[in-house]
Amino acid sequence: FLLSLKLENKTKGRHQKQICQVVLDHFEKQYTAELGDTWTSVRDVLTHPLCWQYAVLLNKFSQSAEPENTLRLKGYHPAFQGPLPYLPASLKCYIRRTPGRFPAQKHQAGKLKEYYLLNAASLLPVLALEVKDGEGVLDLCAAPGGKSVAILQCAYPGQFHCNEYDDLRSRWLKQTIESFIPVPLINLITVSKMDGRQIGNLKPELYDKVLVDAPCSNDRSWLFSSDIQQATLRLIQRKQLSSLQFQLLRSAIKALRPGGSLVYSTCTLSKAENSDVIDLILNSCSNVMPVDISEMAKAVSQEFSFLSGTQKHELLVLPQKGRAWGPMYVAKLKKI
């Protein structure tokens, strides 16, 4: 009871965060134009943290059955079921329709965490990547590390390169990996702090699969910016993000072996950072082609709401009440 009371108070604390009016006004203008009537229901979720949901990704390396039993007792069910094109049995993620957060676990040196809390939509890029045992994998913008951990729940790459350019985020990534991955396997992971725009030139045609979870305008957190000056600066700099994303994708394509696949993802609704970037890549790089991911989207459509009218190689998860996952944009490409 005390635990649930503590969690309730924490949730209330999150709810009391002030919405940044500058950001909301900016989003209001942009997303009404881009999403039409859909924006109203999306905005209702994004601006009310009390209806946010959290998924629980179990760590197969911790060997504890306790969290899974507890989750089932609390009304959680597997997030991914049914005929997905790619769903390793070892990837276990639990969700429930009602909002609320399972208690987080603290980092303890030498002790593996049993689970990772995340937005369930952030596993869709991992499912789209379809990593298999023995493949060479690059996670180009890997911090804080949730998707790297999820990839390792799915398969054992022959080589796994996790890269994060930002110093603080790179330390966070290292700690995440230490918290979830056992020592023999950690030794097979390369963690680097390279400029992602240079990796393609430095490591050409080295990887079978590349994930580009690009730096983007994070709609959820930006709405609650406490510093108005910082928020205003972010909105000005936002225009430059698509250029960075394009450069990261160009680098990722160079790093891919011919026949290899690439998944691009962001946690923004912004068309300029999503489909516009992918269209630019497809129009300017003759050695990549789009890959149809509509079967995956169809298989998870009970748990996730998607923007209609997107192309077959992309999807955009829209937060809705009771399915408050996203925003998450995912696109898949293949190198010819």
Side-chain angles (χ1 to χ4, degrees), residues 141-154:
C141 316
K147 292 181 183 70
S148 298
V149 166
I151 286 168
L152 290 166
Q153 302 302 313
C154 295

Side-chain angles (χ1 to χ4, degrees), residues 124-151:
L124 295 177
V126 174
L127 292 175
L129 198 60
E130 300 190 25
V131 174
K132 295 178 179 66
D133 289 351
E135 289 182 324
V137 182
L138 167 63
D139 190 350
L140 192 69
C141 316
K147 292 181 183 70
S148 298
V149 166
I151 286 168

Side-chain angles (χ1 to χ4, degrees), residues 270-291:
S270 176
K271 185 172 173 287
E273 297 176 52
N274 294 339
S275 51
D276 286 359
V277 175
I278 292 296
D279 289 347
L280 191 59
I281 280 287
L282 289 169
N283 291 329
S284 62
C285 300
S286 56
N287 61 342
V288 286
M289 57 181 280
V291 178

Side-chain angles (χ1 to χ4, degrees), residues 246-308:
F246 177 77
Q247 289 168 49
L248 288 168
L249 274 171
R250 284 283 294 268
S251 174
I253 291 162
K254 285 179 186 172
L256 260 186
R257 290 192 181 118
S261 318
L262 176 154
V263 169
Y264 173 73
S265 61
T266 74
C267 53
T268 180
L269 298 161
S270 176
K271 185 172 173 287
E273 297 176 52
N274 294 339
S275 51
D276 286 359
V277 175
I278 292 296
D279 289 347
L280 191 59
I281 280 287
L282 289 169
N283 291 329
S284 62
C285 300
S286 56
N287 61 342
V288 286
M289 57 181 280
V291 178
D292 187 342
I293 54 170
S294 58
E295 281 302 308
M296 180 185 82
K298 204 159 51 178
V300 298
S301 58
Q302 266 193 303
E303 300 293 356
F304 299 89
S305 297
F306 297 106
L307 178 68
S308 58

